[in-house]
Amino acid sequence: MSPVKKKLYFIYNPQAGMAKIRENLSQILEIFADSGFEVTVCPTSRAGDAKKATIAADGKYDVIACSGGDGTLDDVTAGMLLSKTKVPIGYIPAGSTNDFAQSLKIPMNMLDAAEVVAQCNCMAFDMGKFNKKSFVYVAAFGLFTDVSYGTSQDMKNTFGHFAYIIEAAARLPQTRPYHIKAEHDGMIMEDDFIFGMVSNSLSVGGMKDITGDGVLLNDGLFEVTLIKNPVQVQDFTDIATAVFTRSQDNRFVFNFKTRKIKFSSSVEVPWTLDGEFGGNTKSVRMENIQCALEMIVPKNVPLPCVMF
């Protein structure tokens, strides 16, 4: 009697990353099949499809694999949190930035990433709770944070990562501060901020190490960066230096770690979650959900994690 095959559900975005999944799809499926998986395929056509597909697959598969940008991964993980049966998630990066894949050291080559998924080497990672929503690696407001979801798919496909730079430059004149109160660990900060970032990643927006030193992806802590509104134009230079060097000696930039944080404002603030529009809100509570997400990662590759 032949052994029972494990079932793998493959959800993919056909448009992500210059639609490169199309030229690799048959080989990816062949890799899964050769590794002993019975594969079911589900292409998506709009935001939210991957979340619905993951919820509908609850209890029917041994592995959920997905391919697309960070938005596709975000949808799948959000669906997994709402599922009764938690199974490992495999990720084949196909977007323009792929921040979380870089943090997990998942290969950018799609076929190599498929081989990683087929090996089913799993590790638990933290996720973030954002009011009633969730995010995988970053929640942010302010300067340039709407660039990713404000950039058209056609522009991303044509110019790749440079598309974000083009869009960001066009938005610079419209940047405005938000008066926000941030509360964490018994402390209160209230000021005019042009940027805020709550993250669990080594890379954000394709920029490595911007989230700081000593980042661990399963320690139950967020890395937080808040940037006050500059007084003069030349202050931007000091701010940029502090952000990229993670300097603690700067009157505009604040860096710290926390498990929970609350932001409140008298006006609605637009947020981005994992590079996608997260909604407008006057108040948000965030909490780190430690080891909530089981991801498939490369074997024998050191990751920034706590070893339990």
Side-chain angles (χ1 to χ4, degrees):
M1 181 181 295
S2 59
V4 177
K5 289 188 175 182
K6 286 189 174 183
K7 295 182 178 181
L8 184 149
Y9 195 40
F10 184 49
I11 304 169
Y12 71 95
N13 178 358
Q15 301 302 321
M18 303 184 187
K20 60 182 179 181
I21 183 68
R22 296 177 185 177
E23 60 191 61
N24 292 287
L25 182 57
S26 62
Q27 289 174 279
I28 290 171
L29 297 180
E30 185 176 342
I31 289 170
F32 292 158
D34 288 346
S35 299
F37 286 104
E38 178 182 310
V39 184
T40 301
V41 178
C42 175
T44 63
S45 58
R46 61 182 64 85
D49 281 358
K51 179 179 178 179
K52 294 176 182 176
T54 302
I55 294 172
D58 189 6
K60 300 175 183 177
Y61 298 91
D62 301 292
V63 174
I64 301 289
C66 63
S67 182
D70 290 331
T72 299
L73 177 62
D74 191 62
D75 271 353
V76 170
T77 55
M80 186 62 69
L81 281 182
L82 295 173
S83 300
K84 294 180 180 179
T85 305
K86 304 297 189 288
V87 300
I89 296 173
Y91 183 37
I92 299 176
S96 302
T97 306
N98 305 307
D99 283 312
F100 199 60
Q102 291 189 50
S103 292
L104 302 189
K105 300 184 181 180
I106 294 173
M108 293 300 109
N109 178 281
M110 299 187 78
L111 300 184
D112 290 342
E115 294 282 4
V116 170
V117 173
Q119 292 173 3
C120 270
N121 180 55
C122 303
M123 185 173 286
F125 296 93
D126 300 344
M127 282 191 68
K129 187 176 181 182
F130 180 97
N131 288 342
K132 294 183 179 180
K133 298 180 180 180
S134 63
F135 61 96
V136 178
Y137 70 95
V138 66
F141 71 84
L143 187 67
F144 299 157
T145 52
D146 65 342
V147 168
S148 179
Y149 60 80
T151 306
S152 72
Q153 187 65 55
D154 287 343
M155 194 171 183
K156 291 177 186 177
N157 288 348
T158 302
F159 296 104
H161 188 68
F162 188 62
Y164 295 118
I165 299 174
I166 297 172
E167 189 74 18
R171 291 169 185 268
L172 184 58
Q174 289 88 42
T175 301
R176 68 183 182 91
Y178 294 98
H179 190 82
I180 288 178
K181 179 167 69 173
E183 302 171 68
H184 70 96
D185 304 305
M187 300 177 63
I188 297 177
M189 302 172 63
E190 186 169 1
D191 216 313
D192 293 336
F193 295 102
I194 60 169
F195 177 78
M197 177 175 68
V198 179
S199 66
N200 184 52
S201 177
L202 302 182
S203 168
V204 172
M207 293 179 285
K208 294 182 179 180
D209 301 323
I210 195 173
T211 56
D213 298 324
V215 177
L216 297 172
L217 303 179
N218 63 349
D219 63 351
L221 296 173
F222 292 126
E223 282 69 40
V224 181
T225 297
L226 295 174
I227 302 178
K228 287 174 56 175
N229 190 39
V231 178
Q232 304 176 64
V233 174
Q234 56 262 39
D235 293 331
F236 275 104
T237 301
D238 293 338
I239 289 172
T241 301
V243 168
F244 287 104
T245 63
R246 299 296 292 184
S247 170
Q248 300 297 321
D249 185 21
N250 187 281
R251 62 194 176 103
F252 295 106
V253 182
F254 304 91
N255 301 306
F256 55 91
K257 295 175 183 283
T258 188
R259 188 177 303 274
K260 298 180 181 179
I261 190 166
K262 177 185 176 182
F263 293 94
S264 54
S265 175
S266 60
V267 299
E268 290 191 333
V269 177
W271 285 82
T272 176
L273 303 179
D274 298 334
E276 304 292 329
F277 181 53
N280 300 308
T281 181
K282 292 182 179 180
S283 178
V284 58
R285 293 178 183 271
M286 284 186 240
E287 179 179 355
N288 186 296
I289 311 173
Q290 189 172 18
C291 295
L293 180 66
E294 191 174 23
M295 294 289 300
I296 297 174
V297 297
K299 287 184 177 180
N300 304 318
V301 176
L303 295 172
C305 295
V306 177
M307 302 306 295
F308 295 104

